[in-house]
Amino acid sequence: MTGKVFKEGGHLEYAIEAKGLSKSFGQHIAINQLDLQIPKGRIYGFLGPNGCGKSTCIRLLTGLLEASNGEVNILGKPLLGNEESLKQRIGYMTQKFSLYDDLTVKENLSFVGAIYGFTGKQKKARINELLSLYDLEKQTKQFAGSMSGGQKQRLALACATLHSPELLFLDEPTSAVDPENRREFWERLFDLCDAGTTILVSTHYMDEAERCHALAILEEGNKRADGSPQQLMEAMPAKVVEVSGDNLRRLKQNLIQHPDIMSAAQIGAHLRVLVKQKVANPLRFISQLSDGRVAVLARPSLEDVFVACTGGRHVD
Amino acid sequence: MWIRIYAVFIKELKQLSRDKMTFGMIVMIPLVQLMLFGYAINTDARHIPVGLVDLSQTSESRAIEQAVMATQSVDFIARYASIKAAEMAITKGEIRAVLYLPVDLPRRLFLHPSYDHMQMHSALTLPIGQWIVDGSDTVIASSIRVLRNMPLDEVAGHEVTQTSASFEVVQYFNPEQRTVVNIVPGLVAVILTMTMILFTSAAIVREHEHGNMEFLITTPIRPMELMVGKITPYVIVGLIQVAIILSVGYWVFSVPIKGGLFSLFCASILFIFASLTLGLVISTVVKNQLQAMQMTIFILLPSILLSGFMFPYDAMPVAAQWVAESLPVTHFMRMIRAIALREASIMLLGKDALWLAVFTIVGIIIASLRFKKKLE
Ligand SMILES: Nc1ncnc2c1ncn2[C@@H]1O[C@H](COP(=O)(O)OP(=O)(O)OP(=O)(O)O)[C@@H](O)[C@H]1O
Ligand SMILES: [Mg+2]
C-alpha cells in the first residue's frame, strides 16, 4: 500500500477511485480491501468467476450498497453524500433484467425517459434515436418479457444510456448473448467510449476481458491483478509451455503433482502447462518431466493470466 | 417532480390494466361480498327443516301446521310417531327442530289467551304445543324462538285482538330490512380496506422480487415520487369499487344514499388514501409478497371485527375501542353510515375526516422515510 492520500475533491482524471473498499455480509467478506483507479474515457473490466464479488463491487460503486469500509470517489466527488446527484451522471445495467416485463419496449423507454426528466419532443427524439441505434425498431410494441436474451440486453443498454451518462456500469451484460450479437454489443460500447463515456464492465468471458482497455482480476473479493491485457500477460508470474504427443491425460496427472507447475490443461492436441517463473529453463524442465515429448514456448493468453492469478496459485 | 410521479402513475396503471386477475378482483370482490352479505349471510334463517309429532290428529292441529308453514321459517319435512323418534332425528341432524302437539290440543287452544281474548285472565294458560330445538346453532334457535309468539288468528278463523306478545314478534321480524341497510355502507368500508391494503402492501416488494428495484434506485427518482405515483392509480380503483357497491346496494337491495354524493366522495377519497398509505407502510416493512399478504390479513381481521361492522362499537370493551380508533376503517365506518343513513354532511364529520387526513400524511412520510434507496 502506497499510503497515497485523497486530495480534496478527488482526482478529476479518474472516473472511479476506490481505496480500501470492503464489504462484508455478516461473517462473509464479499469485497476485501479493494483499490481501484479507473481513468475517464476507458473501458475497464472486472474479470472473475461466479461469486467473486463483481456485482457486489458494482453495487458499492453505484451507491446501492453501503460499504463496510473504504473510500470511493466517483467522477471526482466522494460517493458518500453525493449518491443522489451522481445518479443523473451514471448509468447501470443490472445483471438480471430489471425492466418491466409487462410493459412494451417503447413504454419501458418512455418510463425511464420520464424518470430522467425528459419530456415531449425531446423524449420522443431520444427514444427514436435509441430504438434505431440498438436495432429495436421492429420490437417497439412487443412486451419486454417476451423478447429474446439479446433483445432484452439491447433494451437494457438503451435504458441505461438514455440520459447519456458519463459513467456506465454493466454487470455481465452479455451472459445471455450469442457471439455474433456480442460483437455487435461491443461495437456499441466502443461507440459510447469514443463519445467520452467511461465504462465499467464485469464478465467471466476471456474474449470480452481482452477487449477492455484495462481490467482487474477478482477472486473471492480480492483483486489478484490489474492492468491492461498486454501488461497482465507480460507481467505474468509464469511461463507457458505447450506439449504435444500421445497419452496427454496421463501426462497431465503427473505434471500437476509437481510443485513448480501451476497448472496443466488440455487444449485439443496440446497440453498447455504453466511453469513457475523461478524455473530457469522451462523447456528443458518440461521435456525431462514428459519423457522427451515435443515442448514449445507459447505466448501467454489472458486465460493463462487468469489461471495463474487465481485458485491460490498466485502465492508462491 | 410531477413528470416522475406521472410516469410512475402511468406505468402502474398500464401494469394494472394488463393484470387480468387483479383487474377481475377489483370488480368481483365487491360483487361477491355484497351478494354474500346481502343474501346468504342472513341472521334471519328461513326454510329450516323441522319435524312434526302430532298426537292430537285433529283439524286444529292441521290448521296450526299450516299456519306455521305459512311463516316460511320452517318446512315440515318429516313426521314422527313419538317424541323419542323425533329427538333421535335431531341428534342425527336430519331435522333442526320438532314441533310437538299434545293429545289435548283443542282444549289447550280454546283456553289459550291469544286464541280468544275473553280467556285472557284464565288461570289455565298452558302452551298449545312445544318446540324442541337444536340449540347448537344460535341463529336457527332464535329464529324458531320467534315462532313461540306466533299469532293464532288464522287458526282461530276470526280476528284475534293483538296481545303484547304479538308486538314482540313484529319487532323480531323487522331486522331483515334493517341489517342490509346497515351492511351495505359498512361493506364499502370493509371491501376498501381489504383491496386497497392488499394491492399496495405488495407494491414495493413486488418491484424488489421482480428485480426492477435495483435499476429504479439507480435513477434519480425520489422515494416520495415513487410512493405517490404508485398509490394514485388505486384511488381510481377504490372509487370504482365504492360506485359498484353503492349502486348495487341501491338497485338490488334498495339501500338509499340519504346524504349528499359530494360528502360521500370526500369521505371515500380520504379513506382510500389512508388505506393506501397503510398498505405502503406495510410494503416497506415486509420482505416478500407472502409476508405482505399476512400483514394485510393481520390488519383486516380487526378492521372487520372492531370497526363496528360486525359488532356495535359502543358495546366493545375500552381496550378494543382504543384499537378500533387507531384503524382508519373505524372512522370511515362512522362517516359513511352517517352520510348514507342519517343524511349527515362531511362538515359534521370533521373529526373523523381530519383523523384520516392526518393518518395519510403521517403514513406517506413514514413510508418515504422507511424506503431507502439502498438494496439492503
Ligand atoms: N445480500 C447479500 N447477502 C449475503 N451475501 C451476499 C449478498 N450479496 C452477495 N453475497 C455474497 O457475496 C459474494 C459475491 O457475490 P456477487 O453477487 O458479487 O458475485 P458475482 O461476482 O457477481 O457472481 P456472478 O458471476 O455469479 O454474478 C457471494 O459469495 C455472495 O454469496
Ligand atoms: Mg454478479
Side-chain angles (χ1 to χ4, degrees), chain A residues 25 28 30 49-57 59 95 171-172 204:
Chain A
F25 297 106
H28 176 72
N50 289 132
C52 71
K54 301 182 295 290
S55 300
T56 305
C57 189
R59 286 171 180 157
Q95 179 172 359
D171 194 358
E172 292 185 35
H204 44 230

Side-chain angles (χ1 to χ4, degrees), chain A residues 150-300:
Chain A
Q151 289 165 338
K152 274 187 184 174
Q153 163 252 27
R154 292 205 299 276
L155 173 62
L157 184 62
C159 287
T161 55
L162 194 142
H163 59 300
S164 316
E166 296 163 57
L167 175 59
L168 185 59
F169 294 91
L170 307 171
D171 194 358
E172 292 185 35
T174 58
S175 43
V177 177
D178 66 52
E180 175 61 30
N181 274 303
R182 204 180 314 162
R183 284 173 71 94
E184 247 330 283
F185 188 81
W186 273 84
E187 286 301 311
R188 297 287 85 77
L189 294 193
F190 280 112
D191 288 345
L192 285 167
C193 181
D194 271 355
T197 313
T198 311
I199 299 172
L200 191 152
V201 56
S202 80
T203 181
H204 44 230
Y205 292 120
M206 297 300 157
D207 63 321
E208 267 190 356
E210 223 151 340
R211 295 173 202 243
C212 299
H213 292 117
L215 65 131
I217 295 178
L218 298 181
E219 189 191 27
E220 289 173 0
N222 295 290
K223 187 172 78 178
R224 298 297 190 210
D226 66 350
S228 70
Q230 211 56 45
Q231 284 170 341
L232 286 171
M233 290 181 222
E234 277 161 18
M236 193 176 75
K239 291 270 174 15
V240 185
V241 178
E242 270 186 355
V243 187
S244 41
D246 47 333
N247 244 338
L248 289 178
R249 295 215 65 75
R250 275 279 296 283
L251 177 62
K252 181 193 164 180
Q253 294 307 324
N254 294 335
L255 286 180
I256 54 174
Q257 306 294 334
H258 199 283
D260 283 346
I261 287 177
M262 278 182 162
S263 90
Q266 191 164 358
I267 295 170
H270 304 291
L271 198 61
R272 203 169 169 92
V273 187
L274 295 187
V275 185
K276 280 190 180 165
Q277 200 74 47
K278 66 178 184 206
V279 177
N281 190 341
L283 271 186
R284 206 173 62 209
F285 168 74
I286 290 293
S287 291
Q288 281 166 0
L289 281 175
S290 59
D291 318 316
R293 285 186 178 82
V294 184
V296 287
L297 271 176
R299 206 177 74 87

